[in-house]
Amino acid sequence: MGQALQRNDGAGAPAKARGTRRRARLSERVGDIAYPVGTIVAILVIWEIACRQFDIPAYLLPPPSSVLATIVARYDLLAMHTLVTTGEILVGFLLSIVVGVVLALLITSFRPVERAIYPLLVISQAVPKVAIAPLFIVWLGFGWEPKVLVAVLIAFFPIVVDLVAGIRSVPSSMRKLALSMGANAYVTLYKFLIPHALPHLFAGLKVGVTLAVSGAIIGEFVGADRGLGYLLLFANGQMDTNLLFAAIVVLSVIGVVLFYLLLLIEAWLLPWHQTQQSPEN
Amino acid sequence: MQLATIIKAQDTLGPMSAKRSNAPTLLDCERVSKIYHGRQGPVIALEEIDLTVPRGEFLSVVGPSGCGKTTLLNLVAGLERVTGGRLSVSGEVLNAPLTDVGIVFQDATLMDWRTVLDNVMLQVEVRRLPVEPYRARALDLLSNLGLEGFLDAYPSQLSGGMKQRVSIARALVHKPSLLLMDEPFSALDALTRDKLNVDMQALCLAEETTTLFITHSITDAAFLGDRVVVMTPRPGRIAEIIDIDLPRPRPLALRETPQFGEYTGRIRTIFESAGVL
Ligand SMILES: Nc1ncnc2c1ncn2[C@@H]1O[C@H](COP(=O)(O)OP(=O)(O)OP(=O)(O)O)[C@@H](O)[C@H]1O
Ligand SMILES: [Mg+2]
């Protein structure tokens, strides 16, 4: 009967492995940064050499060094427009999280709502956003509002779809467990369904944030007097390819930074999830 | 709390069935039926189940796939309604999910986002029980189940057997009057299963919970059960209820003895004559 007190069904004590695992994870993280940075540097070097070697005119393809020089020289201009666009992206993304989460909860909680709303959601995505953006300008004017609206309209969709899928994937045994504990609808939602669906939600958020960037730019393309989308069109009209590239670089940096911020939040909120564990686990 | 000492103390009380023969009834099924209305017409999942379970009994239910074992568990847990007959727990007819219960599912159904200890404490949190005393009890149960070194581990870091142990601790931490287990060991390898059988027996002797243990395994059913309900499919019925009159605690070696073989032989004969085997 003493054997009842022993444990021998596999897996070493986690404490022991922790030191080596942390080291492995650190080198994994360093690699996560080193590989893409190395690739980008290599591409920039080839680009620079090619521009100089073949004497490509600057209005076609400026070398990275001159794009960088432009960014430094016109820092104030870029910063002003960056601030405007970043604001639109953030407001649009946060609103699309609210809209997406509320819709997903309604859809998964009430069957009639699902039947009424889901087809409309699909239609809302079938309509090309560039086509209806002018309408938003007519309704909302030339301020930040139509840009935010376009961003929301594109970005909320993956959030709804992924969160609905996440809540749907809750196993029936988990729902039975909640019932047997006497959990009401609210407790079931925040102690069982939402935590289970969080990894799915983050998958949707990662797609959503990049779409919010596109949405804000589309909105600015259609009608704006400020913002990086406006600056892109302006630089294009002036044949100022250096400025064009500078704006594109800034825009990409915004997208990448927001994406990695999400990754950080995810790692902090979901330390237990497989995506947070190094491959050898 | 040392499991070994509990078992020794229990040993002097003799076989459990003797102690429990006049215990009050916990679960009472009178001509209980369940009919599902599926796409291909009605399916009789259970027909006229008569079953009385006294408090403290360990009741095994064994039967082939599709004979309605899970259906029976869902009915007893109040997760589904009977379509005929009467089912009562502690004298009251069930018409809502039973909450004075702990359930162990075939897959452990742990919350991946909670550590081992927090998974057990989920039961306490959702029920709004006082945290301190139940935390002590959770730690006790987990260490009895050999998990004291893994309190802060996440489920993804555990083996299948360990996950099922956590699930068992979670099902018992709030001292439910009824423990329901639906093929809890069927996803485990034979050795892990044997060990869990032994640990399960020790726990149930210590806890005095009434247990409904559903299994495919004739050996597990007879080894653990005070009684074994033998079920046959299409429609799901009780073919026979067999008393297992073997003293506890039962060592694993008991399964090699002729008395034990007699019990398993009888169950096998029932399945053979029903055309199941
Ligand atoms: N929700 C349902 N709708 C329709 N039929 C069902 C439903 N649930 C179960 N059944 C049917 O009822 C019968 C009994 O099913 P049940 O799951 O209780 O069997 P079981 O003994 O638990 O089988 P197993 O050992 O494979 O788990 C089966 O014929 C099954 O097809
Ligand atoms: Mg079943």
Side-chain angles (χ1 to χ4, degrees), chain A residues 190-233:
Chain A
Y190 90 93
K191 283 221 191 275
F192 296 82
L193 307 188
I194 300 262
H196 179 90
L198 266 188
H200 293 83
L201 175 63
F202 268 97
L205 291 179
K206 284 183 230 164
V207 180
V209 79
T210 56
L211 290 181
V213 175
S214 309
I217 297 301
I218 291 174
E220 289 176 355
F221 273 177
V222 174
D225 52 8
R226 71 195 69 179
L228 288 171
Y230 161 79
L231 192 64
L232 281 171
L233 289 186

Side-chain angles (χ1 to χ4, degrees), chain B residues 108-188:
Chain B
T109 313
L110 298 182
M111 314 293 125
D112 289 336
W113 56 93
R114 283 174 170 254
T115 61
V116 164
L117 181 59
D118 286 344
N119 259 287
V120 178
M121 291 304 286
L122 176 71
Q123 184 85 261
V124 176
E125 286 169 31
V126 174
R127 291 169 186 276
R128 298 175 182 281
L129 297 170
V131 170
E132 274 318 308
Y134 282 97
R135 201 181 124 88
R137 182 169 153 78
L139 291 170
D140 231 30
L141 282 167
L142 285 170
S143 82
N144 281 346
L145 287 162
L147 287 167
E148 64 273 44
F150 296 87
L151 300 177
D152 295 324
Y154 285 102
S156 60
Q157 298 167 294
L158 303 181
S159 70
M162 296 160 93
K163 284 185 199 171
Q164 206 50 282
R165 286 163 192 271
V166 178
S167 165
I168 290 168
R170 181 181 61 196
L172 287 172
V173 68
H174 55 303
K175 300 188 183 161
S177 353
L178 187 59
L179 174 64
L180 302 175
M181 299 198 278
D182 192 357
E183 301 183 25
F185 309 147
S186 64
L188 308 177

Side-chain angles (χ1 to χ4, degrees), chain A residues 159-224:
Chain A
I159 300 175
V160 178
V161 171
D162 281 342
L163 186 52
V164 167
I167 294 178
R168 289 266 162 77
S169 73
V170 170
S172 69
S173 57
M174 197 178 280
R175 289 179 186 271
K176 289 181 182 176
L177 189 71
L179 285 172
S180 80
M181 292 179 178
N184 58 30
Y186 176 62
V187 171
T188 306
L189 198 61
Y190 90 93
K191 283 221 191 275
F192 296 82
L193 307 188
I194 300 262
H196 179 90
L198 266 188
H200 293 83
L201 175 63
F202 268 97
L205 291 179
K206 284 183 230 164
V207 180
V209 79
T210 56
L211 290 181
V213 175
S214 309
I217 297 301
I218 291 174
E220 289 176 355
F221 273 177
V222 174

